Amino acid sequence: MSLEPQELRERFEELLEGAPLGIAVLDTELRFVELNERLVAMRLMTPDGQPREACLGRRASEVLPPSPAAEQFLRCARRVLDTGRSVDREVLALAPEARPEARHTYCVTFHPSRRDAVITGVYAFVEDITARHQLQEQQKELLARERAARARAEAAAQALGESEARYRAILAALDEGVVVQSREGDIVTANASAEHILGLSVDQLAGRTSMDPRWRAIHEDGSPFPGSEHPAMVALRTGEPVRSVPMGVRRPDGSLIWLSINAQPLRRPGEAEPYMTVSSFFDVTGFKKALQDIHLSEQRFRSLVEATTQMVWTTDATGMVRPESASWMAYTGQDVKTSTAPKGWLEAVHPEDREHVLAEWRRAVARKEPLRLESRVRRHDGEYRQFLVRAVPVLAPDGSIREWIGTHADISEARRAESERARLLLEAQQAVRARDEFLTVAAHELRTPLTSLRLHLQLLLRQLARASPEVAEQLASRSEALERQVGRLAGLIYTLLDVSRLTTGRLSLEPREVDLGLMVGQLAESFGDEFRRLGASITVQGPEEPLVGVWDPLRVEQVVVNLLSNAVRYGGGKPVEVRLWREGTMAVVSVKDQGIGISQEDLSRIFGKFERAVSERHYGGLGLGLYISRQLLDAMEGSIQAESTPGQGSTFTVRLPLTRTSGGAVTSG
């Protein structure tokens, strides 16, 4: 049968609370992940009576009252985490100093919890054996008093040894079986531990009731144990849990085994009568098998959670859809007969997708691998919708597939959104190409009248030189301002043209031998008037040796001019220092100003296209100078970096290789 995650969780919690032992699940940090009320009630855990919820999520060292028994508990748990081996039947004794007679004795077994061969925590099973321990002490005292009678003492010692042997055999084989029974008492399912303990397979147990005479159940006194008094039937009849009921049953081979049984009724929300009951029982030989079954239940629970999205379905091991796949039937409009027929579910799949879907499904079943694909499924109103299909196999301990759990998630809207996103991206790319083409055409068209304007300005300046001193003096400042604006306009046009060439990969390099120190000195001198006009100064600290490399001189000059222009613009009229030096195989140039500086957030983006660290309203510019500089330096196998503190200025450092650089096209990356 297929169980919902909530129902699985309820069964797990009922199993936990129905166990006759104290049970705890701890993670690798020894924090309590799960523990039952029986464990909370033990003095080992909470002598102050704190509730179970107060223990969850806390470390065992914080919950357990300080005592040698608590320290022994923690040492054993850590040993399991460190070695990966179980610690069986560890005896812990808890005796208050003020009341030695209130001594409690516990038998604790630790087992590692694993997931995919990795230890994820520790299972702890705690049994209060105080009564047994006290009985043993009383027996020893009785033997001491009867030691005078040799024959009787030897007989008593032999009886005690046999009793202890049986007791130790039971502890060594302790395990838990779980049986689920319907309202009528029919067994619905049973775990592998129940099979092992009872000597019956799940198929043999299925449909069997507590009233079946083949159980041959007996009370501890040997009297018959009627089926109506079995713990499961009492729990179904009264609606109350039944705890620690001893019962003897006969296995098919005739052997008698004794069980300690708990039965917990299960109710659906809003219903007063139980709809089924979960019975758990312990047998020495089935203890480890019960742990494996709990682990299998956890795996199945995780698989259900992983697969559950929108439309959920289950199949048997061969891929036949089960009748409980209600969401599939509700969506497709198929009835139980159609959906559970061989390939009946395929009728709801789009005809163009059927062959592919069937082939992938058969491949997954054959290889026992998870299934993931997309297909179109017909809704009950006839509309086909796009779905993401996922399915995972639930494996039995022997590796065979027990069932498949799958989901269909409607992704129609997501696919339409992806198509729209692709369309918008294509339109944006086309718009960017159109913009770049416009920049190229505009730059070329503007350069022609600008060249003519510059020639006429130069002619005007020459004629102005021959004019009267009064006229020359009157027009000199205006002519200089006009020349600066024409130069600025030319710079903007050439910058746009460079960006266009970078974008289309048509900006080429023409490397030849360049004396970097000489070039930087000449450029600094040409900027002298600009700095003096602002009341600032520029100093150049030359290299100790010539820095001669093979680069494109026009592009190197363009980079240095960009840095000096920025120093003029953002330097705040304060001194600017230019330094050149050799650093291994690299020639280094740094330009340092004492201006407004750049914030750390802006430093990471100022080398991007059209990026600026200040408002264009106050400082102007296109935000392309540093972007072009980095592209040019990358093409010449160089680099540029910036360091700055707001209010204290900025330092830009350029590095160029002194080895030969081949020419070629420059792209924008």
Side-chain angles (χ1 to χ4, degrees):
M1 65 179 291
S2 176
L3 300 177
E4 294 298 326
Q6 181 62 32
E7 192 172 352
L8 278 173
R9 183 64 186 177
E10 291 177 357
R11 291 192 182 183
F12 177 76
E13 292 179 354
E14 297 297 345
L15 183 151
L16 207 65
E17 294 304 319
L21 302 179
I23 300 178
V25 182
L26 301 97
D27 62 14
T28 55
E29 299 295 328
L30 296 185
R31 288 187 292 260
F32 284 102
V33 178
E34 289 286 354
L35 72 165
N36 60 3
E37 292 293 342
R38 184 174 293 273
L39 179 59
V40 173
M42 295 181 180
R43 287 184 174 274
L44 174 66
M45 286 292 297
T46 55
D48 298 331
Q50 56 180 312
R52 169 178 172 270
E53 289 76 12
C55 302
L56 293 177
R58 297 175 57 193
R59 297 180 184 271
S61 59
E62 300 172 352
V63 174
L64 299 179
S67 67
E71 294 175 1
Q72 189 178 357
F73 182 98
L74 294 173
R75 283 198 303 273
C76 292
R78 293 192 185 99
R79 191 193 316 164
V80 173
L81 290 176
D82 294 337
T83 66
R85 299 192 186 96
S86 299
V87 176
D88 293 330
R89 303 184 305 280
E90 189 77 8
V91 177
L92 309 182
L94 185 66
E97 295 181 0
R99 297 180 59 204
E101 71 279 1
R103 177 187 183 95
H104 280 73
T105 307
Y106 304 93
C107 181
V108 187
T109 298
F110 300 85
H111 292 284
S113 170
R114 291 183 172 90
R115 182 181 299 166
D116 299 329
V118 176
I119 295 177
T120 59
V122 177
Y123 292 110
F125 298 86
V126 184
E127 183 180 4
D128 189 340
I129 60 171
T130 303
R132 293 196 189 103
H133 189 76
Q134 292 174 350
L135 177 61
Q136 291 174 354
E137 294 297 325
Q138 293 173 0
Q139 289 174 334
K140 291 179 182 178
E141 183 179 354
L142 179 62
L143 288 174
R145 290 198 303 264
E146 295 178 351
R147 195 170 287 125
R150 184 181 185 85
R152 294 178 61 189
E154 290 178 353
Q158 182 178 0
L160 179 60
E162 292 175 354
S163 176
E164 287 199 10
R166 288 193 297 271
Y167 170 73
R168 292 183 181 277
I170 292 173
L171 287 180
L174 184 63
D175 206 345
E176 185 176 20
V178 177
V179 167
V180 180
Q181 292 173 252
S182 67
R183 190 193 307 270
E184 291 74 24
D186 298 325
I187 293 179
V188 177
T189 186
N191 67 350
S193 298
E195 292 180 283
H196 180 75
I197 294 171
L198 300 174
L200 296 168
S201 67
V202 172
D203 292 337
Q204 291 172 320
L205 290 169
R208 200 166 176 177
T209 69
S210 296
M211 311 301 293
D212 196 314
R214 289 174 293 180
W215 292 118
R216 291 179 287 175
I218 59 174
H219 286 288
E220 288 183 301
D221 62 358
S223 62
F225 204 134
S228 60
E229 296 180 13
H230 283 201
M233 302 305 296
V234 174
L236 284 170
R237 185 170 61 252
T238 64
E240 297 295 331
V242 180
R243 304 292 188 195
S244 302
V245 176
M247 180 168 56
V249 296
R250 294 283 179 180
R251 293 168 59 95
D253 60 5
S255 61
L256 177 65
I257 59 172
W258 290 95
L259 308 175
S260 177
I261 304 175
N262 297 289
Q264 181 69 38
L266 300 180
R267 294 182 178 83
R268 292 190 177 94
E271 294 184 1
E273 296 295 325
Y275 72 97
M276 67 171 52
T277 182
V278 177
S279 299
S280 63
F281 46 90
F282 276 92
D283 178 277
V284 178
T285 57
F287 189 70
K288 291 184 179 179
K289 188 61 179 176
L291 289 177
Q292 295 174 359
D293 192 75
I294 291 174
H295 180 64
L296 177 61
S297 297
E298 292 175 346
Q299 283 185 323
R300 186 176 181 187
F301 176 76
R302 287 194 296 270
S303 299
L304 285 169
V305 172
E306 177 184 351
T308 300
T309 53
Q310 184 179 6
M311 184 163 51
V312 184
W313 46 267
T314 61
T315 75
D316 61 17
T318 64
M320 295 290 291
V321 176
R322 288 178 168 173
E324 56 264 30
S325 302
S327 58
W328 169 268
M329 300 175 196
Y331 184 86
T332 61
Q334 291 185 333
D335 54 23
V336 175
K337 182 178 179 180
T338 302
S339 61
T340 57
K343 300 183 184 178
W345 57 270
L346 201 59
E347 296 178 6
V349 178
H350 195 284
E352 296 177 0
D353 299 343
R354 290 174 185 172
E355 183 178 354
H356 171 69
V357 170
L358 186 59
E360 289 297 308
W361 173 238
R362 287 174 173 171
R363 182 189 62 80
V365 172
R367 298 184 181 182
K368 303 178 184 178
E369 295 177 348
L371 174 71
R372 182 185 176 91
L373 56 83
E374 292 185 16
S375 72
R376 290 165 287 180
V377 177
R378 185 186 64 243
R379 199 164 57 188
H380 57 82
D381 60 1
E383 179 185 353
Y384 282 95
R385 305 277 293 179
Q386 190 77 15
F387 279 86
L388 173 63
V389 185
R390 294 186 297 175
V392 292
V394 179
L395 303 181
D398 61 0
S400 62
I401 295 179
R402 295 182 57 177
E403 62 180 325
W404 287 83
I405 301 175
T407 63
H408 275 60
D410 192 335
I411 58 172
S412 303
E413 299 303 327
R415 288 291 175 265
R416 278 195 284 269
E418 289 177 2
S419 299
E420 180 65 13
R421 190 161 50 247
R423 183 186 67 80
L424 294 175
L425 177 60
L426 178 60
E427 291 179 357
Q429 291 172 340
Q430 292 173 344
V432 170
R433 284 195 294 270
R435 182 205 63 190
D436 292 338
E437 292 174 0
F438 170 76
L439 289 177
T440 301
V441 172
H444 280 290
E445 292 299 323
L446 289 173
R447 190 167 56 173
T448 300
L450 181 64
T451 301
S452 176
L453 179 60
R454 175 169 281 180
L455 290 175
H456 283 289
L457 179 59
Q458 292 173 353
L459 178 61
L460 178 61
L461 290 174
R462 285 196 296 269
Q463 293 176 348
L464 184 62
R466 296 193 296 269
S468 64
E470 295 81 5
V471 175
E473 181 179 357
Q474 183 179 2
L475 298 179
S477 60
R478 297 182 181 179
S479 300
E480 290 176 0
L482 183 59
E483 186 176 15
R484 284 197 302 271
Q485 295 303 320
V486 170
R488 183 166 178 263
L489 180 59
L492 293 175
I493 292 174
Y494 286 121
T495 297
L496 290 175
L497 190 57
D498 282 345
V499 171
S500 175
R501 289 170 177 170
L502 283 170
T503 302
T504 57
R506 293 186 288 106
L507 185 62
S508 60
L509 298 177
E510 297 180 4
R512 59 177 181 267
E513 192 172 273
V514 177
D515 186 330
L516 185 61
L518 180 60
M519 173 187 287
V520 172
Q522 292 173 347
L523 292 174
E525 183 178 353
S526 68
F527 271 81
D529 290 341
E530 287 287 334
F531 282 102
R532 284 189 291 273
R533 184 172 59 84
L534 297 174
S537 63
I538 180 171
T539 59
V540 179
Q541 182 178 341
E544 297 179 355
E545 56 181 310
L547 298 177
V548 179
V550 179
W551 312 297
D552 187 321
L554 291 178
R555 298 308 174 185
V556 174
E557 178 180 326
Q558 186 175 353
V559 171
V560 177
V561 168
N562 278 335
L563 297 182
L564 293 177
S565 298
N566 285 345
V568 170
R569 183 176 300 161
Y570 307 116
K574 298 178 180 179
V576 174
E577 301 175 7
V578 180
R579 294 181 58 238
L580 298 96
W581 70 92
R582 182 188 184 106
E583 192 176 89
T585 60
M586 306 294 286
V588 185
V589 181
S590 72
V591 178
K592 178 180 180 182
D593 65 57
Q594 302 176 38
I596 62 175
I598 305 170
S599 67
Q600 292 299 315
E601 303 85 60
D602 293 330
L603 278 176
S604 60
R605 64 179 182 84
I606 57 174
F607 293 100
K609 191 186 296 185
F610 301 111
E611 291 288 352
R612 306 168 53 83
V614 295
S615 170
E616 66 273 10
R617 179 181 300 177
H618 298 94
Y619 290 93
L622 297 175
L624 292 170
L626 292 177
Y627 164 74
I628 294 174
S629 297
R630 168 163 282 183
Q631 300 299 320
L632 294 175
L633 289 169
D634 286 346
M636 291 184 286
E637 300 179 9
S639 66
I640 182 171
Q641 66 183 46
E643 299 176 357
S644 182
T645 301
Q648 299 181 22
S650 306
T651 301
F652 287 85
T653 304
V654 172
R655 288 177 171 81
L656 286 165
L658 290 169
T659 56
R660 180 173 295 274
T661 302
S662 60
V666 183
T667 66
S668 63

